[in-house]
């Protein structure tokens, strides 16, 4: 009992969905598939809908979304329930998604600033749509709370929007740290309890990391450069995320077969190279890795265990790992 | 449409009392005859009344096959053969035949003597049952009767476990029993050839599990045992006498030796001694490494592991005890568990699958207060650990076996109903075959496409090879002949031979066509013109001018006559047989185009 959801924000190339109930990491050392499903299109993004037994996925060839039901009671198959269709925009072929259960179970989706929508998952009714004319490509989107959205443009801009004011145009706040030519993605962290602040980390395809806060997204608070061998060729897999139970720590992946963990508490605005406190190299040593070095496609932190992460790579491997902190920092 | 029918009487969407009825080409085979370890009433045996309500089962079954000695596969055998009634052959491998009666007798003792049950099979029944057993070797084709044959394949899992192929004519079914696709310390891995059965019946105990590295698992196990023993605790490992016990013994023995540990390790007696005796006897059934090193050192002679006595359980200090049975459902392991459960320094490690209803299953599900006999509540303070050393194939292993055998259909048994649907769909998607998972009592029908062998006559064969290109093994060759079905035999012969054999006269189909040509000269001059024309055009064909005034092109006949009413018109009669249709039509259209002007 007591499984926790795995939330794969990008699961490229696999048309099987797996949900593993990892109730703490037991020494059993076996992965038990709680339920699984079959999709006839690649699953690039997968998000559970809170307070429901539904999942939403998206992937090429278009920006429509697939809604699934996890029955778990009488069967171990994730069943396809419905499709949320959208007008196929030009260019980008798949939608980024975020979910929340506030006034109703909602999914926020879109591939460009001008095709963002909020749809009620169960009824498939449209709740809000963006009215901006800008067709900036998006690399990520998130619900900060039931009313506030944060959008990240692939070119590097961040954008806040209020659901209660759908008429105000969405304009990407131009940010000083985003020169042209690099592709950016974001990771939103949990702020200290009771405060308004939430840290945001922005990662570029050249390995630049910039930290800011939702209270003033145009101002860079700190920045650093990751130790990456070369700029990411396929910036689709860039992934940065804050540790939910380890203050100031974030993880970065998408450049090669490794996952880097950094302690950002000591960073300043100099933008110098930062030393990771841990590098997970396991994926680079899988079978066949010498011929075809795998690329880590996504990672996420365990919601409760402070130093436990999960990562997946292009060779189909799935790792659950943690590290021992040698120097006594980071709790 | 020929069909294969499968009905599980046990292990349909369930684990326990494996018993599957297969009906193939008029033969009825029972696969396994097990007992359900989770029940104490008549739900523990399969319901044989499904086969027949009255009359002895011998008339309805051609044979019974037992895959291995685990009680959930053979536990109901004496009840079935002696109490319900069956006198036909029972097939199993040699180790299974040797070990089965020991386990059955052991179980009988616990049930009757210790639990006081009546209406259970007796020792004599076990002996009488085993007299009906025919032992088989691996890969040996055994003729059950003129049409039914069976063959055993190595299954790993436990000593003597086999997968069986059942074949009638060209229809076949493979039943896996329980198997393991990864070799372990004392057994090899299951293997089957690309036998392409119509149906593969496979176990799916771990349908949704994907195993991590064995080395890490072993390291975790040893770490736990070591930690417990170091702090003075006692470790109980419930095992079946034969199976994982030997594996873990080898593992612990090696570890104790390497780390120079002194804490005693015990193995509950009786069954164990006999068990090791059998492992030494059936050494060819173990893995490569054991067989190779057998001469220097027998892997089953343990230095650090000693026989257990009931009194030792009360001894102070650390110890490790292997005790039977494996799911803590009865006997010595349960006794020891009750003694040690109250101390949190102690640990119980469940090394395998536990059937629902057993104490093992309950404590693994998290229950810490158990109701024992006489309404006594047992509080479990000792640590409960699960280390899956169970030798069943995991999800990847099942897919691997299907890939090896290439069946046309798959049927899943011996799994949990709620955990089979995903595997079923995965198999259908990946191999494009139908996959079934019937419940107990539910019949699945699989339609087969049997190939019918036909004898071809030598004459026809020679004729066909003379015409065409060299035969290609992969491409079907189209040929014409006559199929004669007589006295259950099929023969393909040439039409002429068929006619001769049947005493029929051959009818010839002849086409005749009249072509009008304008030519005022005499008939024989027209004929000469036609002959020269055809000779010039049809260079590849034999064109002849016969003395009687007719022309032949191959076997086509052309004659010229004058038109009855118009002397200036000549009528060419073109006549050909059915076989020359193509050339005949071509000739006709050629002639209809007219003759070239004559030069003479």
């Amino acid at each position: 009992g007591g499984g926790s959801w795995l939330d794969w924000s990008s699961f490229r190339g696999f048309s099987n969905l797996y949900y593993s109930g990892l109730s703490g990491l037991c020494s059993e050392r076996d992965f038990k598939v709680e339920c699984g499903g079959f999709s006839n299109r690649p699953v690039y993004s997968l998000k559970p809908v809170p307070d429901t037994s539904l999942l939403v996925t998206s992937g090429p060839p278009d920006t429509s979304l697939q809604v699934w039901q996890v029955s778990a009671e009488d069967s171990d198959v994730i069943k396809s329930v419905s499709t949320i269709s959208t007008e196929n925009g030009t260019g980008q072929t798949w939608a980024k998604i975020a979910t929340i259960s506030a006034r109703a179970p909602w999914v926020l989706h879109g591939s460009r600033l001008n095709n963002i929508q909020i749809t009620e998952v169960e009824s498939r009714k449209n709740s809000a749509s963006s009215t901006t004319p800008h067709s900036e490509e998006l690399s990520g989107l998130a619900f900060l709370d039931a009313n506030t959205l944060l959008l990240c443009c692939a070119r590097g801009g961040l954008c806040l929007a209020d659901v209660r004011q759908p008429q105000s145009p969405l304009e990407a706040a131009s940010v000083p740290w985003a020169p042209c030519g690099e592709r950016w993605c974001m990771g939103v962290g949990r702020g200290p309890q009771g405060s308004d602040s939430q840290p945001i980390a922005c990662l570029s395809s050249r390995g630049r990391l910039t930290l800011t806060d939702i209270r003033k997204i145009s101002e860079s608070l700190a920045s650093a450069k990751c130790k990456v061998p070369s700029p990411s060729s396929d910036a689709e897999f860039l992934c940065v995320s804050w540790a939910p139970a380890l203050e100031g720590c974030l993880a970065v992946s998408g450049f090669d077969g490794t996952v880097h963990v950094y302690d950002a508490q000591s960073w300043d605005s100099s933008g110098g190279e930062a030393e990771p406190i841990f590098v997970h190299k396991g994926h680079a040593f899988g079978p066949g890795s010498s011929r075809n070095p795998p690329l880590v496609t996504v990672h996420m932190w365990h919601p409760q265990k402070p130093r436990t992460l999960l990562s997946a790579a292009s060779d189909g491997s799935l790792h659950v790992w943690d590290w021992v902190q040698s120097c006594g920092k980071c709790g | 449409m020929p069909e294969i029918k499968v009905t599980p009487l046990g292990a349909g969407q369930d684990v326990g009392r494996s018993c599957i009825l297969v009906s193939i080409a008029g033969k009825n085979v029972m696969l396994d005859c097990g007992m359900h370890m989770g029940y104490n009433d008549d739900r523990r045996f399969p319901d044989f009344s499904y086969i027949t309500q009255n009359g002895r089962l011998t008339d309805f079954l051609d044979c019974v096959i037992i895959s291995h000695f685990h009680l959930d596969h053979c536990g109901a055998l004496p009840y079935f053969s002696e109490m319900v009634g069956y006198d036909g052959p029972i097939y199993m491998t040699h180790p299974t035949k040797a070990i089965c009666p020991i386990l059955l007798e052991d179980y009988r003792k616990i049930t009757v003597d210790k639990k006081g049950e009546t209406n259970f099979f007796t020792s004599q029944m076990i002996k009488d049952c085993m007299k009906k057993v025919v032992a088989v070797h691996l890969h040996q084709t055994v003729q059950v009767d003129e049409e039914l044959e069976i063959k055993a394949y190595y299954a790993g899992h436990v000593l003597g476990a086999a997968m069986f192929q059942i074949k009638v004519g060209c229809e076949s079914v493979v039943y896996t029993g329980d198997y393991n696709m990864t070799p372990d310390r004392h057994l090899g891995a299951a293997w089957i050839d690309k036998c392409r059965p119509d149906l593969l019946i496979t176990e799916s105990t771990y349908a949704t599990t994907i195993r991590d590295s064995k080395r890490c698992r072993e390291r975790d196990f040893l770490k736990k045992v070591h930690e417990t023993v170091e702090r003075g605790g006692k470790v109980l490992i419930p095992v079946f006498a034969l199976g994982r016990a030997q594996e873990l013994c080898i593992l612990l023995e090696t570890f104790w030796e390497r780390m120079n540990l002194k804490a005693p390790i015990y193995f509950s007696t009786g069954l164990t001694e006999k068990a090791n005796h059998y492992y030494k006897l059936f050494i060819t059934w173990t893995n490569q490494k054991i067989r190779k090193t057998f001469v220097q050192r027998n892997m089953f002679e343990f230095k650090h592991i000693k026989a257990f006595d009931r009194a030792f359980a009360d001894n102070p200090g650390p110890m490790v005890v292997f005790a039977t049975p494996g799911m803590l459902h009865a006997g010595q392991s349960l006794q020891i568990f009750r003694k040690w459960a109250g101390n949190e320094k102690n640990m119980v490690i469940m090394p395998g699958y536990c059937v629902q209803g057993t104490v093992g299953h309950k404590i693994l599900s998290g229950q810490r207060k158990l109701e024992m006999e006489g309404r006594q509540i047992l509080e479990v303070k000792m640590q409960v650990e699960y280390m899956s050393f169970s030798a069943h194939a995991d999800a990847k292993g099942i897919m691997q076996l299907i890939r090896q055998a290439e069946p046309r259909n798959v049927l899943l048994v011996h799994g949990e109903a709620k955990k089979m649907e995903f595997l079923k769909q995965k198999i259908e998607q990946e191999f494009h075959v139908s996959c079934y998972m019937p419940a107990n009592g539910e019949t699945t029908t699989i339609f087969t496409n049997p190939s019918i062998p036909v004898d071809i006559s030598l004459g026809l064969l020679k004729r066909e090879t003379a015409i065409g290109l060299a035969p290609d093994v992969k491409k079907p060759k189209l040929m014409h002949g006559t199929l004669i079905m007589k006295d259950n035999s099929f023969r393909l012969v040439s039409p002429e031979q068929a006619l001769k054999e049947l005493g029929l006269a051959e009818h010839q189909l002849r086409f005749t066509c009249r072509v009008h040509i304008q030519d005022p000269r005499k008939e024989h001059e027209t004929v000469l013109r036609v002959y020269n024309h055809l000779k010039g055009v049809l260079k590849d064909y034999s064109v002849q001018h016969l003395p009687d005034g007719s022309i032949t092109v191959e076997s086509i006949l052309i004659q010229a006559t004058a038109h009855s009413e118009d002397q200036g018109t000549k009528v060419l009669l073109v006549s050909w047989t059915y076989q020359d249709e193509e050339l005949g039509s071509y000739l006709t259209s050629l002639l209809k185009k007219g003759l070239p002007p004559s030069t003479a």
Side-chain angles (χ1 to χ4, degrees):
Chain A
S4 53
W5 284 98
L6 289 187
D7 170 19
W8 300 107
S9 58
S10 174
F11 206 47
R12 174 166 292 215
F14 299 91
S15 50
N16 286 356
L17 304 172
Y18 284 108
Y19 155 47
S20 250
L22 299 174
S23 43
L25 278 183
C26 53
S27 52
E28 202 191 296
R29 289 194 168 275
D30 291 340
F31 276 106
K32 277 207 174 52
V33 175
E34 292 284 318
C35 50
F38 299 90
S39 160
N40 48 21
R41 61 166 74 198
V43 174
Y44 277 27
S45 187
L46 185 157
K47 294 268 190 279
V49 182
D51 303 333
T52 69
S53 58
L54 300 172
L55 293 177
V56 181
T57 64
S58 70
D62 56 40
T63 52
S64 64
L65 309 182
Q66 290 73 45
V67 183
W68 308 78
Q69 167 95 1
V70 178
S71 33
E73 283 275 316
D74 50 347
S75 145
D76 62 347
V77 174
I78 300 175
K79 296 188 181 66
S80 169
V81 168
S82 59
T83 304
I84 294 172
S85 17
T86 57
E87 265 165 34
N88 202 6
T90 50
Q92 271 306 94
T93 51
W94 60 286
K96 315 293 179 288
I97 52 181
T99 53
I100 196 168
S101 266
R103 291 188 262 293
W106 278 351
V107 57
L108 166 68
H109 57 108
S111 59
R112 292 183 176 279
L113 273 182
N114 60 357
N115 67 12
I116 297 173
Q117 291 178 49
I118 295 179
T119 307
E120 256 177 58
V121 181
E122 279 151 352
S123 65
R124 285 173 286 146
K125 263 193 331 189
N126 180 263
S127 280
S129 307
S130 73
T131 53
T132 184
H134 301 287
S135 61
E136 282 269 357
E137 187 193 328
L138 290 174
S139 65
L141 30 75
F143 277 104
L144 294 177
D145 57 40
N147 300 316
T148 323
L149 313 174
L150 179 66
L151 313 162
C152 180
C153 297
R155 171 178 83 67
L158 286 177
C159 205
L160 277 170
D162 194 312
V163 172
R164 295 164 293 194
Q165 296 171 343
Q167 300 312 312
S168 67
L170 293 168
E171 208 170 306
S174 70
V175 286
W177 63 81
C180 294
E182 293 180 56
R183 205 191 144 88
W184 292 80
C185 71
M186 71 167 175
V188 184
R190 247 182 266 159
Q193 265 205 328
S195 90
D196 288 335
S197 85
Q198 264 179 277
I200 304 171
C202 293
L203 173 69
S204 87
S205 48
R206 278 188 198 279
R208 223 189 300 241
L209 267 168
T210 308
L211 307 183
T212 180
D213 190 280
I214 57 158
R215 289 172 295 182
K216 196 168 184 186
I217 57 176
S218 55
E219 188 172 311
S220 153
L221 297 171
S223 70
K225 176 119 183 10
C226 304
K227 275 182 132 166
V228 290
S230 54
S232 163
S233 49
D234 199 340
E236 283 278 18
F237 298 127
L238 290 181
C239 190
V240 59
S241 64
W242 290 93
L246 209 55
E247 197 168 329
C249 285
L250 42 77
V252 165
S253 70
F255 295 95
D256 53 21
T258 64
V259 182
H260 290 212
V261 180
Y262 291 93
D263 179 1
Q265 286 174 103
S266 56
W267 289 359
D268 54 27
S269 18
S270 64
E273 202 167 72
E275 265 306 310
I277 57 173
F278 184 74
V279 177
H280 174 66
K281 298 178 191 155
H283 291 285
F285 294 98
S289 55
S290 45
R291 282 171 279 119
N292 259 336
L295 183 63
V296 173
T297 52
V298 72
H299 73 262
M300 63 181 293
W301 292 82
H302 191 286
Q304 288 100 34
K305 295 192 168 209
R307 267 186 290 282
T308 305
L309 284 107
L310 300 95
S311 53
S314 53
D315 62 354
S317 59
L318 169 63
H319 290 191
V320 184
W321 49 276
D322 61 8
W323 79 95
V324 174
Q325 196 53 38
S326 48
C327 62
K329 274 169 54 170
C330 275
Chain B
M1 277 265 333
E3 50 192 34
I4 296 176
K5 284 191 153 84
V6 179
T7 310
L9 296 183
Q13 292 183 14
D14 184 26
V15 175
R17 61 172 184 171
S18 283
C19 185
I20 299 148
L21 293 177
V22 174
S23 186
I24 171 174
K27 303 286 171 189
N28 296 321
V29 178
M30 178 187 282
L31 303 168
D32 279 339
C33 190
M35 175 154 56
H36 200 297
M37 309 306 274
Y39 298 115
N40 280 326
D41 49 30
D42 45 310
R43 281 175 298 176
R44 67 179 152 203
F45 292 137
D47 184 6
F48 300 113
S49 65
Y50 183 87
I51 307 170
T52 172
Q53 297 284 339
N54 41 33
R56 289 179 67 83
L57 295 169
T58 320
D59 301 327
F60 291 91
L61 289 171
D62 291 280
C63 72
V64 173
I65 297 173
I66 303 292
S67 60
H68 63 290
F69 59 65
H70 275 158
L71 288 175
D72 63 327
H73 291 258
C74 72
L77 199 57
Y79 166 75
F80 162 75
S81 75
E82 305 312 303
M83 291 171 85
V84 180
Y86 172 75
D87 298 314
I90 301 172
Y91 293 97
M92 56 181 78
T93 62
H94 286 273
T96 312
K97 183 178 178 185
I99 297 167
C100 240
I102 303 172
L103 289 184
L104 287 169
E105 178 57 35
D106 188 69
Y107 190 73
R108 192 206 64 78
K109 259 200 279 194
I110 296 176
T111 313
V112 174
D113 302 348
K114 300 222 172 113
K115 281 198 189 165
E117 274 193 44
T118 51
N119 198 31
F120 205 73
F121 50 81
T122 63
S123 297
Q124 186 58 41
M125 284 182 187
I126 296 173
K127 292 198 180 92
D128 292 336
C129 170
M130 296 311 289
K131 289 202 189 108
K132 298 168 185 171
V133 169
V134 178
V136 302
H137 294 284
L138 281 180
H139 307 157
Q140 172 196 12
T141 302
V142 175
Q143 292 288 145
V144 177
D145 60 34
E146 271 171 22
E147 289 129 328
L148 173 62
E149 59 183 53
I150 63 173
K151 180 156 81 164
Y153 288 93
Y154 191 78
H157 187 62
V158 288
L159 192 70
M163 308 189 287
F164 279 89
Q165 180 195 43
I166 298 118
K167 207 162 164 185
V168 182
C170 51
E171 287 173 82
S172 64
V173 173
V174 169
Y175 172 58
T176 63
D178 292 349
Y179 63 102
N180 191 1
M181 295 300 283
T182 50
D184 58 28
R185 278 167 195 268
H186 77 295
L187 289 177
W191 177 85
I192 196 166
D193 50 9
K194 210 181 274 292
C195 51
R196 296 209 178 99
D198 290 285
L199 175 64
L200 173 72
I201 303 175
T202 170
E203 65 132 322
S204 48
T205 323
Y206 287 110
T208 55
T209 304
I210 297 167
R211 287 255 172 73
D212 189 15
S213 107
K214 189 168 77 129
R215 199 165 283 186
C216 295
R217 235 203 317 256
E218 288 183 342
R219 205 180 51 214
D220 280 353
F221 169 74
L222 292 171
K223 189 157 158 247
K224 289 212 151 4
V225 172
H226 193 196
E227 276 171 5
T228 308
V229 155
E230 287 287 284
R231 64 164 184 253
K234 298 171 166 57
V235 182
L236 170 66
I237 308 173
V239 285
F240 283 110
L242 293 124
R244 293 305 91 203
Q246 278 66 33
E247 183 73 9
L248 295 174
C249 277
I250 294 174
L251 183 60
L252 270 190
E253 167 94 358
T254 320
F255 184 67
W256 244 242
E257 181 80 17
R258 195 157 44 96
M259 304 285 282
N260 198 19
L261 298 177
K262 301 291 177 226
I265 309 176
Y266 298 113
F267 206 139
S268 57
T269 48
L271 220 42
T272 317
E273 282 165 37
K274 289 202 189 102
N276 285 335
H277 168 69
Y278 281 107
Y279 273 89
K280 291 180 216 171
L281 258 189
F282 290 110
I283 202 75
T284 54
W285 281 82
T286 59
N287 70 21
Q288 193 82 343
K289 187 166 172 204
I290 291 186
R291 277 181 278 153
K292 274 201 185 139
T293 58
F294 186 64
V295 183
Q296 292 110 14
R297 178 178 116 72
N298 186 333
M299 286 278 233
F300 299 105
E301 298 275 14
F302 299 117
K303 279 202 303 193
H304 300 272
I305 308 180
K306 307 208 167 41
F308 185 68
D309 184 283
R310 233 186 312 174
F312 296 173
D314 298 315
N315 285 0
M319 68 173 80
V320 180
V321 176
F322 288 96
T324 61
M327 298 181 203
L328 281 180
H329 52 279
Q332 194 167 67
S333 60
L334 186 59
Q335 264 180 29
I336 300 170
F337 172 75
R338 290 167 81 155
K339 281 206 172 131
W340 295 357
N343 190 338
E344 61 258 338
K345 272 205 276 190
N346 297 338
M347 181 186 283
V348 59
I349 304 180
M350 308 299 299
Y353 188 87
C354 285
V355 168
Q356 207 167 18
T358 56
V359 171
H361 191 266
K362 288 181 187 157
I363 58 174
L364 283 177
S365 315
Q367 247 187 289
R368 290 297 178 259
K369 285 190 165 55
L370 301 169
E371 195 181 302
M372 301 276 121
E373 290 126 45
R375 299 269 187 92
Q376 281 186 315
I377 302 288
L378 179 70
E379 248 199 82
V380 181
K381 292 205 186 120
M382 76 194 302
Q383 277 186 265
V384 177
E385 295 287 342
Y386 174 68
M387 299 264 158
S388 70
F389 283 101
S390 200
H392 286 268
D394 68 351
K396 267 180 20 191
I398 296 170
M399 301 297 276
Q400 204 186 330
L401 185 78
I402 297 173
R403 207 169 286 123
Q404 267 184 26
E406 273 187 31
R408 294 200 190 94
N409 297 276
V410 177
L411 194 138
L412 302 177
V413 293
H414 199 283
E416 285 175 52
K418 294 181 194 169
K419 292 187 181 164
M420 290 161 81
E421 183 79 42
F422 180 65
L423 178 67
K424 168 187 179 297
Q425 287 196 19
K426 194 151 167 67
I427 291 169
E428 287 174 334
Q429 292 243 335
E430 182 133 346
F431 300 108
H432 306 292
V433 296
S434 301
C435 185
Y436 306 90
M437 39 175 276
N440 288 335
E442 199 183 311
T443 302
T444 301
T445 305
I446 288 147
F447 295 107
T448 59
N449 275 330
S451 36
I452 301 168
V454 171
D455 288 324
I456 181 170
S457 77
L458 194 58
L460 185 60
L461 193 60
K462 279 186 180 164
R463 186 210 287 187
E464 288 295 324
T465 49
I467 304 173
L469 309 147
D472 185 335
V473 182
K474 297 220 170 116
K475 287 193 191 143
K477 184 173 163 61
L478 194 64
M479 58 163 60
H480 289 128
T482 308
L483 185 69
I484 299 181
M485 294 189 281
K486 199 172 167 191
D487 302 326
N488 277 338
S489 75
F490 293 88
R491 279 184 308 130
L492 194 65
V493 301
S494 66
E496 298 80 32
Q497 189 177 342
L499 289 167
K500 206 162 75 173
E501 278 188 31
L502 298 167
L504 296 170
E506 187 176 353
H507 292 267
Q508 287 276 343
L509 268 177
R510 219 171 168 81
F511 297 98
T512 309
C513 191
R514 286 176 169 75
V515 181
H516 293 242
I517 290 187
Q518 292 297 107
D519 192 350
R521 282 166 291 186
K522 294 223 187 332
E523 282 154 23
H524 71 268
E525 284 167 2
T526 313
V527 168
L528 205 57
R529 247 182 99 194
V530 171
Y531 171 71
N532 287 326
H533 172 56
L534 290 179
K535 192 101 180 148
V537 175
L538 302 172
K539 292 197 171 62
D540 294 327
Y541 295 92
S542 143
V543 184
Q544 289 180 324
H545 188 180
L546 299 179
D548 67 359
S550 54
I551 301 168
T552 57
V553 178
E554 299 288 329
S555 57
I556 297 172
L557 190 65
I558 303 172
Q559 287 171 328
T561 52
H563 196 279
S564 49
E565 282 147 32
D566 175 12
Q567 278 292 342
T569 305
K570 297 292 175 294
V571 179
L572 294 176
L573 218 73
V574 188
S575 171
W576 64 90
T577 59
Y578 169 70
Q579 282 85 350
D580 296 321
E581 166 64 27
E582 208 179 312
L583 183 58
S585 317
Y586 173 65
L587 256 185
T588 312
S589 45
L590 183 65
L591 290 171
K592 277 189 178 152
K593 285 190 191 142
L595 299 170
S598 62
T599 49

